[in-house]
Amino acid sequence: MKNNTVIAFDLDDTLYKERDYVLAAYRLILERYGDYVADNVKSTFLSIAKPYEAFEYFCRQVPQADIEEIKLLYRSGNIPLEDTEGAIPLLEYLKSYGYITAVITDGFSARQRAKLSSLGIDNLIDAVIISEETGFDKHTPEPFLGLMEINPDAERFYYIGDNPDKDFYYPNIMGWHTVMILDNYNYNIHIQHTLLNPSFSAKTIVTSLSAVKHLL
């Protein structure tokens, strides 16, 4: 069944929880340097939400640690992930009804593509646009224009994300339907603060990925 609607997603904290990836990466780093790390350092390290702050702390506490090696471990993308958010059922539903699916994400190419593969959803996505590959992140219109250019016959575009700082501004300007997945438990890496400028806010807010199908 042909469908002229494009459903595009953010990746981190939308199709999966980024904190799960971060914690798994931290544990990989601890496996590498575990013999040199005191228990109190391990617990503090695991509690720091922002990776590069965590890496700086770790290297201050563990002289044997090499920050460049740590960054490579983190960026490698060789981190096991589970579909805790229900991305696979939603994407399978969309494909069964002929929707065109896409991911627009900021980050390193190898890491972001490895996440899609680890989640088992790379074969359910028609187009993947990553900032490192294009040279443009979501603070610019180019990623969204790029998706429109490769789907010239599409009649409607949706963008589903979590971060009002950058996920919805340009899609709103372009007339897309924007949807924010609400962070009910404050688990996301980026806080979903309220912005005064409505241009940055999603037109619709839902509490889960599964709710997206009811908006189409």
Side-chain angles (χ1 to χ4, degrees), residues 35-211:
D35 292 341
Y36 307 109
V37 187
D39 288 343
N40 65 312
V41 173
K42 290 179 183 179
S43 59
T44 301
F45 177 58
L46 290 170
S47 71
I48 301 174
K50 295 184 178 180
Y52 291 100
E53 291 179 7
F55 301 161
E56 290 176 1
Y57 166 80
F58 190 82
C59 289
R60 287 196 302 270
Q61 301 298 320
V62 183
Q64 297 86 352
D66 180 337
I67 195 165
E68 294 306 318
E69 181 181 33
I70 287 172
K71 289 178 181 177
L72 284 173
L73 284 170
Y74 180 72
R75 294 172 183 170
S76 70
N78 297 321
I79 308 294
L81 292 172
E82 294 183 7
D83 178 24
T84 59
E85 303 305 293
I88 290 175
L90 174 60
L91 289 166
E92 288 178 339
Y93 170 87
L94 295 175
K95 298 301 290 181
S96 70
Y97 282 91
Y99 289 97
I100 302 163
T101 57
V103 164
I104 299 176
T105 179
D106 290 346
F108 293 96
S109 177
R111 183 172 68 197
Q112 300 304 81
R113 289 190 179 277
K115 289 174 184 176
L116 293 171
S117 179
S118 183
L119 287 166
I121 60 176
D122 47 348
N123 63 329
L124 296 172
I125 303 293
D126 296 310
V128 178
I129 296 176
I130 302 173
S131 62
E132 186 185 44
E133 297 177 2
T134 65
F136 298 99
D137 65 19
K138 289 186 287 182
H139 291 289
T140 70
E142 278 78 7
F144 306 100
L145 290 171
L147 185 60
M148 296 177 76
E149 288 173 0
I150 61 178
N151 292 283
D153 298 325
E155 298 172 356
R156 294 189 300 168
F157 287 83
Y158 284 77
Y159 192 66
I160 294 94
D162 73 284
N163 187 353
D165 279 339
K166 61 179 180 177
D167 282 346
F168 311 119
Y169 180 77
Y170 284 108
N172 282 340
I173 289 176
M174 296 172 186
W176 292 25
H177 302 264
T178 53
V179 181
M180 185 174 81
I181 309 295
L182 186 65
D183 179 20
N184 289 307
Y185 302 102
N186 295 317
Y187 192 72
N188 289 6
I189 296 293
H190 300 286
I191 297 171
Q192 292 178 333
H193 54 76
T194 302
L195 295 164
L196 294 177
N197 187 340
S199 297
F200 286 85
S201 300
K203 296 173 184 175
T204 303
I205 297 175
V206 296
T207 58
S208 68
L209 273 178
S210 62

